[in-house]
Amino acid sequence: MLNPGQQLYTKLRHEVAETGVFKPDWKHLLRRLTLYGTLHILSYLGLFFCADSGWRWAAIIGLTISNLQFYFLSHDAGHYSLSRHRKVNLWLGEIGDTFIAGGSFRFWQYKHNLHHRYCNDEALDPDMKGDFIKFYVDDPTERPAWIRWMVRQQSYLLWVLAMFHNFEFQRISWLYMLKNPKQCRIEFLLIPLHFVVYLIIPIALLGWPMALVNYGIVTMMSGLILAKLFAVNHIGMPSVSGDHGMSFIEQQVVTSRNVIIPRWLDDYFGGLNYQIEHHLFPWIPISRYRQISPLVKSFCQQHAIAYVEEDLIASLRSVTRHLDRVGQTER
């Protein structure tokens, strides 16, 4: 016998399923792979052929944009939303997160699934924990004095720390891989290949100063943009404790925020500007979230579930205000 919350979610799921959005969107996937794969290859070659001209910066921008799009593809692959074939999703995930980002797709998938299961749960959501960022007032983490000072400035320092996000992802990926060697066998091959292709070959052809600068700029800018896109999804939304008593549908909707942007920017956000729809139905192709958003919004309003959506500027302000308020409680 389903409880009322389960019945509510089942009802919404049936309504969404009737729109036909559960099937893979091969056209959208092939368009992304063709467009951003071509951009990635041309930008990578541009680092060498345009090293002595201003077009080098166009190559760096192109590589940053294409990297972001492959991170998004890995995200979708981790939810098995790209294909009904498990191996297709896993290989695309390994290409984006492991080969292109230099981290562990398996680690990211494990961590991100916990986030979805325990969204904004103060004790169980791994995205609610941070040494340098305090996400909720009652965070029990004990920090030394110099980090406490940083936390009090976190509404500004978040964007500085975000530039090192991808380097941290690479570091903790190795810790996970060493604990799970059998699960991560392919990653012990692809991560060294990442550094050969994106660091060692450029050092050999361009010299280490330019190669390191190129790699550093692309990695840091990718981390900064990812942080801006992901911060608006949940930061500043209600957090919950283990005894919150919410149903699945209530927790996923109430703790998430949609960002209102023009359709042509959906790719820039990886479709995750529809964070509420994504958390309710993570296996749906991201190209279809805009289609089902009015249905989900109407359903939530009918059942008195808070459905929050803000434009990009307003959502960034909400994130800043929340981080500043919580940061000032760190004494």
Side-chain angles (χ1 to χ4, degrees):
M1 184 68 178
L2 298 178
N3 63 43
Q6 291 171 325
Q7 292 175 1
L8 205 60
Y9 178 69
T10 300
K11 181 181 179 182
L12 174 60
R13 178 168 173 162
H14 286 326
E15 291 184 16
V16 172
E18 289 177 357
T19 66
V21 297
F22 283 4
K23 58 186 178 182
D25 189 346
W26 283 102
K27 288 184 179 180
H28 185 252
L29 173 59
L30 291 175
R31 180 189 70 81
R32 294 167 74 194
L33 286 173
T34 302
L35 176 62
Y36 297 113
T38 301
L39 177 62
H40 191 81
I41 293 170
L42 292 177
S43 299
Y44 178 78
L45 294 175
L47 293 179
F48 304 106
F49 291 106
C50 304
D52 298 323
S53 76
W55 287 104
R56 168 196 173 199
W57 297 104
I60 288 175
I61 293 171
L63 208 58
T64 300
I65 292 173
S66 58
N67 278 8
L68 287 169
Q69 293 302 321
F70 276 101
Y71 299 163
F72 291 142
L73 276 170
S74 294
H75 169 273
D76 303 339
H79 290 298
Y80 302 101
S81 68
L82 299 178
S83 169
R84 288 198 175 104
H85 300 285
R86 181 181 176 86
K87 287 187 177 180
V88 171
N89 289 289
L90 293 178
W91 273 106
L92 288 173
E94 294 287 5
I95 290 171
D97 262 350
T98 310
F99 174 61
I100 291 180
S104 167
F105 170 67
R106 292 289 190 173
F107 164 68
W108 176 87
Q109 189 180 38
Y110 162 77
K111 178 176 177 287
H112 193 64
N113 284 342
L114 287 176
H115 161 67
H116 269 260
R117 183 175 181 181
Y118 303 109
C119 187
N120 270 29
D121 188 303
E122 296 173 354
L124 300 174
D125 184 350
D127 289 356
M128 293 290 283
K129 305 179 188 302
D131 291 329
F132 297 95
I133 299 293
K134 186 175 183 178
F135 293 103
Y136 58 98
V137 172
D138 296 327
D139 181 358
T141 304
E142 294 185 7
R143 301 173 173 92
W146 67 278
I147 294 184
R148 291 200 300 272
W149 177 86
M150 292 183 67
V151 169
R152 291 195 291 273
Q153 324 304 321
Q154 66 180 7
S155 61
Y156 309 102
L157 291 179
L158 170 66
W159 311 112
V160 177
L161 296 172
M163 291 190 287
F164 300 93
H165 169 271
N166 288 346
F167 294 115
E168 177 65 5
F169 174 53
Q170 292 174 347
R171 184 187 72 83
I172 57 181
S173 289
W174 277 103
L175 298 178
Y176 180 84
M177 290 161 56
L178 293 172
K179 291 181 179 179
N180 303 274
K182 291 183 179 179
Q183 184 184 11
C184 301
R185 283 175 295 186
I186 186 66
E187 300 181 356
F188 282 104
L189 172 65
L190 289 181
I191 290 181
L193 185 60
H194 162 86
F195 287 105
V196 169
V197 171
Y198 295 102
L199 205 52
I200 294 178
I201 291 177
I203 287 175
L205 297 179
L206 301 173
W208 67 266
M210 181 176 289
L212 290 180
V213 167
N214 290 347
Y215 185 84
I217 291 175
V218 170
T219 304
M220 294 172 77
M221 289 305 298
S222 299
L224 178 60
I225 296 172
L226 281 175
K228 183 178 70 175
L229 300 183
F230 288 134
V232 296
N233 292 338
H234 301 288
I235 296 178
M237 299 304 293
S239 59
V240 298
S241 58
D243 58 352
H244 56 77
M246 289 184 180
S247 66
F248 171 81
I249 184 173
E250 290 172 322
Q251 181 176 355
Q252 300 302 323
V253 175
V254 168
T255 60
S256 303
R257 176 196 291 113
N258 279 8
V259 180
I260 304 170
I261 58 172
R263 181 186 293 271
W264 61 272
L265 279 176
D266 280 354
D267 264 14
Y268 175 71
F269 268 79
L272 298 178
N273 43 303
Y274 291 100
Q275 191 67 193
I276 294 173
E277 287 71 22
H278 172 63
H279 265 258
L280 290 173
F281 307 104
W283 64 88
I284 290 181
I286 61 171
S287 57
R288 298 201 170 104
Y289 287 143
R290 185 177 284 271
Q291 176 185 343
I292 67 169
S293 177
L295 188 158
V296 174
K297 180 179 180 180
S298 176
F299 186 91
C300 290
Q301 290 174 340
Q302 289 172 17
H303 296 88
I305 301 174
Y307 184 102
V308 176
E309 53 183 355
E310 298 177 325
D311 63 48
L312 180 58
I313 300 302
S315 60
L316 287 171
R317 286 174 178 166
S318 296
V319 169
T320 301
R321 285 195 297 266
H322 173 79
L323 290 177
D324 185 59
R325 180 179 63 84
V326 173
Q328 298 312 311
T329 67
E330 182 71 12
R331 299 300 179 191

